[in-house]
Each structure stands twice: as structure tokens, then as C-alpha cells.
Amino acid sequence: MRLSRYFMPTLKETPAEAQIASHRLMLRAGMIRQSSAGIYSWLPLGFRVLKKIERIVREEQDAIGCQEMLMPTIQPADLWRESDRYDDYGPEMLRIRDRHDREMLYGPTNEEQITDIFRGAVRSYRDLPQLLYHIQWKFRDEVRPRFGVMRGREFLMKDAYSFDLDRAGAQRSYNKMFVSYLRTFERMGLKAIPMRAESGPIGGDMSHEFVILANTGESEIACHRDFLDMGWALSDIDLDGDLQPIVDAYTAKYAATDEERDPETERALGDDLVTARGIEVGHIFYFGTKYSKAMGAAVNGPDGEDITVEMGSYGIGVSRLVGAVIEACHDDAGIVWPVPVAPFQVGLLNLKPDDPACTAACEDLYATLNGNGVEALYDDRPERAGVKFADMDLIGVPWQVIVGPRGLQQGVVEVKDRGTGERGEQSIESALAMLTG
Ligand code: 5CA
């Protein structure tokens, strides 16, 4: 992508309404624009990151055999009356009437919708277990939408639902999701700690929140110090095997969100206790037959008897994660993207676009990077070098290749690692070998 053609409306001034780094940086880097309170448009740069995050989430859901589908954003109110949640949900639910005066709502989550689909389609215990998910926009009319995409009213969520014959099966589904979540967040360069959590309006008796530690987080948490430097080596796990030992290992030590904190355990931990703030990026629930019973979702068992299915639901805040990654990865100059979620891998800075040698070298580099599938953002604008450095630091592309006339005379370009700030001169060939390797 050529920056001269790219729609990336950066801001020099810090927007007054933004209180935390991620909100500030997303506005300044031209990633999002507010439409109304808690509702945002995703501009090209922000949308690229959203898609990268969505893709990692999707790959890790697929890896545990969870099947992707797509349910609508608008749901009929009657479904929510069946589960008794229509009145319970209160003013957070956006209620709509269609032209026939039918009561509809913009879905804040999809338990009712998926249970309705399941009960109409699945008859036999042989068809279980089932794991289904979708990645779809949700609406919750939050009292205090704030911090940009972190607490929005419209937000993108991955929500998955499991259907099992019995509690042991439901536990296996829960464990798959638990491990999948650890892997998902690790791939984004984040360390998300699984914490005992309250299950809230969703109900149920087993629930974990996945929380990233950050000073600007909205949740107050407490955990054992060991979580801070616990190794997260999860790539070689057999996802079809018994995952209970892994779940046990990650839940053996104390980690709890605010509502679940236990003063006695905390006293006993002494110096091993850490209290901190965090961002909830995922939340998983086992709720047994709460919805299946209310809505009549049962299958025929081996002896012809009716078995009400055991369910769980599993959410990831996909759009919130964009902000959460920035909270975890930024410095005074701007965003520092972890490579897997970076909007581009390489920023190519042409320091003198009116110099034919510089431009020829840049065009060559740009074509080679593109040809090797490396996503490059080429700053070919007729701007001062200082502006280019500041913008590229702000948008946080992991590698910068800086091309200027003086270096070129010696046959070298400068390569900067945005993460460490290290910069060094290299021949064009060795820079390319490193970036395309
Ligand atoms: N039905 C369940 C699981 S599918 C559910 O809705 N869980 S939730 O309420 O915890 O939401 C799942 C995730 O969505 C949260 O962990 C959080 O990361 C994200 N989320 C929730 N509310 C918002 C919001 N207002 N803005 C951005 N992300 C949100």
C-alpha cells in the first residue's frame, strides 16, 4: 500500500475525549472514528488489525473442531421471553419494533437463538457433542460507553456454544475452549490470565474470565504472583487428547476477579498476592440446562428417553482486543504492534521522493516485498523525514526500512525494529533477506 493513496487520517493533536492510550492512539493513527457514543467506524488501518485478530480467533476455534456459522444481529423478542431474559436484561437491550409492530431486539448475545436452532434440528444423542460459533456484531446499551472500542455499545464478539449429553461431556467442551483461549491470546502476543469469575446474567456455576493485566483495565483482580512469569507454551498440545491436566495446571493457583475474591485465601498468600487492574478479553461459562430446559432442547437418549442437553457459552471481545493489544503494547511514540496482529509488517520510508535513485530503490524494495507476500506500507509522500518517522512510529509497524540518498550511495538502507528501537545499516539484499525470510 502506498501511503500517498492510503486513507489514513492521522491526527497531530491528542483528542480531548480520549482518556486512555489505546483510545488516543486509535484515533490519532486514523484507525477508527466515532459515529455516536460507543459506536465506531473502522477505517482501513483499524479494519486490517480487526481482521487479523478475527483470523487468529477463527483459526483457534476451528482447531478445536468448533464450527463457524452466522446468526443475525436482529432477533425476535419472543425467543427471549421463552428463557425469561427479555425483562431481566433491562435497559441494556436495544428494543426495536418492525413495521408490523413485532417486537425485535438487537442481539447482545445469542444463547436463545442458538438453542432455538439446536432444538429444531438435533434429535439424537448420536449427534452430540456440538460446538458452534459465530463472529458477529453485538449491541449493548451500556450505561457508560467509554475508552473507545474497549467498552463500546456496538462491538464485535466471537461467541461459541456447546451442546453435550452430560456434565462430563460439557466439561470436555469447556476444557477445549479454555485451552483454545490460552492459545488464541498467546498468538496475539498477550498473556491472558484465566480467573474465576462470576457468571452474571448468563447464569451457571462454572465460569472463567481471561484477563490481560493493564493499569487502565476496568476490572480489579487478584492473583498469585506466579502467574506473572508463568510460561505459556501451548503450541504443541494435542487438542483431541485429555485437556483436564492443562486446565488444572492453569487453575490450581489463585486468580480471581473482583466479585470472586476471597479474603482468607488472599491473607494466606501474603507476599505472593498481586492485586492489579485488568482487561477482560474473554469469558467462558458452563450453565448446564438453564436454556435447554426453559426452551425444550432435548435429544433422544440410547434408551429412547429424553435428555435435556448441557450447554456452555464462550465469548471473546474481538473489537475490544484491538484496544487491549494497544494497551499492552505501546510507548510514548505510539503503537508497537506484535507481528501477528500488525496491520502491515514493514514500513518503507522514502526520505527523498524527489530523488530518482531513492525512488527507484524504494520501488524495487516495495515490489520485492509485495512479491514475497510481505505486507508493506510505502511512505512515498512528499513530506519531511521527521513527519515520516513520527507517523510510522505512531502506527507501530514492526519493521521500518528507511531509504535516504546518503545511505544509498554506500549501497545501504537503515532498518529499524519498532519494538526495541534498534536501528542499523544493511545492504538492500540483506535487509530483504531478513524481511522476506
Ligand atoms: N454469552 C456470553 C458468552 S458468548 C457473553 O456474552 N459473555 S460476555 O458478556 O462476557 O461477553 C464476552 C466478551 O465480549 C467479554 O469478555 C468482552 O471481552 C467482550 N465485551 C463485552 N461487552 C463489551 C463491550 N461493551 N464492548 C466491547 N467488548 C465487550
Side-chain angles (χ1 to χ4, degrees):
M1 181 55 62
R2 287 169 195 273
L3 200 41
S4 61
R5 304 293 319 138
Y6 198 42
F7 186 70
M8 193 183 82
T10 54
L11 305 174
K12 282 199 187 58
E13 308 300 325
T14 297
E17 75 270 26
Q19 300 162 25
I20 62 170
S22 58
H23 189 194
R24 228 165 21 236
L25 290 168
M26 288 180 78
L27 289 169
R28 282 196 53 212
M31 294 175 65
I32 51 167
R33 282 295 181 265
Q34 183 172 305
S35 164
S36 58
I39 305 182
Y40 290 87
S41 299
W42 292 78
L43 308 189
L45 187 75
F47 192 58
R48 281 181 87 99
V49 178
L50 188 68
K51 287 283 157 192
K52 291 257 164 106
I53 288 178
E54 193 184 308
R55 182 169 153 192
I56 293 175
V57 170
R58 177 175 288 116
E59 285 175 2
E60 292 300 330
Q61 291 293 293
D62 294 348
I64 55 166
C66 198
Q67 303 162 66
E68 187 167 17
M69 61 185 293
L70 185 60
M71 289 179 272
T73 53
I74 307 288
Q75 303 176 25
D78 281 345
L79 269 185
W80 286 66
R81 291 210 168 88
E82 285 193 53
S83 68
D84 237 3
R85 279 212 292 181
Y86 189 63
D87 294 325
D88 283 1
Y89 226 93
E92 262 198 24
M93 181 182 273
L94 181 64
R95 296 155 209 258
I96 309 165
R97 278 178 195 270
D98 70 10
R99 63 164 72 196
H100 305 292
D101 216 27
R102 281 189 205 108
E103 291 174 281
M104 315 289 282
L105 57 99
Y106 197 120
T109 177
N110 288 66
E111 279 81 3
E112 285 78 359
Q113 184 87 72
I114 193 81
T115 306
D116 180 49
I117 294 169
F118 181 92
R119 72 178 166 186
V122 180
R123 297 271 167 264
S124 164
Y125 74 97
R126 287 191 205 87
D127 298 325
L128 296 181
Q130 286 293 343
L131 272 175
L132 297 159
Y133 77 101
H134 74 161
I135 300 176
Q136 177 65 291
W137 293 91
K138 305 290 188 287
F139 194 92
R140 294 182 186 174
D141 207 346
E142 301 272 355
V143 192
R144 286 185 70 196
R146 57 181 185 157
F147 300 158
V149 300
M150 299 278 257
R151 180 162 298 278
R153 292 200 295 165
E154 189 182 66
F155 59 96
L156 188 60
M157 193 202 284
K158 183 284 299 182
D159 39 324
Y161 302 89
S162 64
F163 299 87
D164 283 276
L165 206 53
D166 52 26
R167 161 108 203 191
Q171 178 83 52
R172 277 194 295 277
S173 294
Y174 190 89
N175 290 351
K176 279 191 179 183
M177 280 293 169
F178 188 104
V179 172
S180 153
Y181 275 35
L182 292 172
R183 286 161 51 105
T184 301
F185 301 127
E186 187 195 37
R187 275 184 64 186
M188 296 173 193
L190 298 172
K191 189 183 226 178
I193 303 176
M195 307 201 165
R196 277 185 65 89
E198 197 185 47
S199 45
I202 307 286
D205 56 4
M206 180 160 57
S207 169
H208 285 92
E209 277 182 24
F210 289 75
V211 176
I212 292 165
L213 300 188
N215 294 334
T216 48
E218 289 189 284
S219 322
E220 282 198 42
I221 61 97
C223 69
H224 194 293
R225 187 170 297 284
D226 284 358
F227 274 112
L228 302 186
D229 36 42
M230 194 160 165
W232 255 229
L234 296 153
S235 44
D236 298 332
I237 291 170
D238 172 15
L239 293 168
D240 293 322
D242 179 13
L243 301 176
Q244 193 65 51
I246 300 170
V247 174
D248 288 347
Y250 280 89
T251 52
K253 297 226 162 96
Y254 181 73
T257 58
D258 211 16
E259 310 80 25
E260 291 286 309
R261 287 176 64 177
D262 174 31
E264 217 163 287
T265 313
E266 296 195 5
R267 256 194 306 279
L269 277 175
D271 282 350
D272 281 334
L273 183 75
V274 177
T275 55
R277 302 193 71 81
I279 302 165
E280 177 201 324
V281 288
H283 199 161
I284 60 178
F285 306 82
Y286 161 71
F287 44 71
T289 56
K290 181 178 156 86
Y291 299 95
S292 47
K293 205 163 160 192
M295 298 182 65
V299 294
N300 277 319
D303 303 319
E305 76 283 25
D306 265 358
I307 301 173
T308 302
V309 294
E310 296 271 333
M311 290 176 61
S313 75
Y314 314 88
I316 290 183
V318 176
S319 51
R320 173 179 289 183
L321 270 164
V322 180
V325 171
I326 298 175
E327 287 301 324
C329 312
H330 70 273
D331 60 19
D332 289 344
I335 304 166
V336 185
W337 291 115
V339 173
V341 300
F344 297 92
Q345 257 59 68
V346 176
L348 178 59
L349 287 76
N350 185 347
L351 296 190
K352 244 184 169 327
D354 53 2
D355 176 313
C358 268
T359 294
C362 282
E363 291 290 338
D364 247 23
L365 274 158
Y366 183 54
T368 310
L369 289 168
N370 280 334
N372 283 279
V374 178
E375 297 162 302
L377 182 62
Y378 172 23
D379 192 348
D380 57 342
R381 298 172 304 171
E383 295 281 355
R384 286 182 298 112
V387 172
K388 298 193 175 192
F389 292 139
D391 278 351
M392 208 53 92
D393 278 355
L394 171 66
I395 66 173
V397 172
W399 295 101
Q400 298 176 11
V401 178
I402 302 155
V403 181
R406 238 169 308 158
L408 271 188
Q409 274 169 8
Q410 265 98 62
V412 296
V413 294
E414 201 175 7
V415 178
K416 174 173 161 181
D417 177 337
R418 177 70 181 87
T420 63
E422 269 169 43
R423 36 204 305 172
E425 292 190 326
Q426 291 189 30
S427 70
I428 292 181
E429 296 69 37
S430 84
L432 276 174
M434 196 267 286
L435 297 168
T436 60

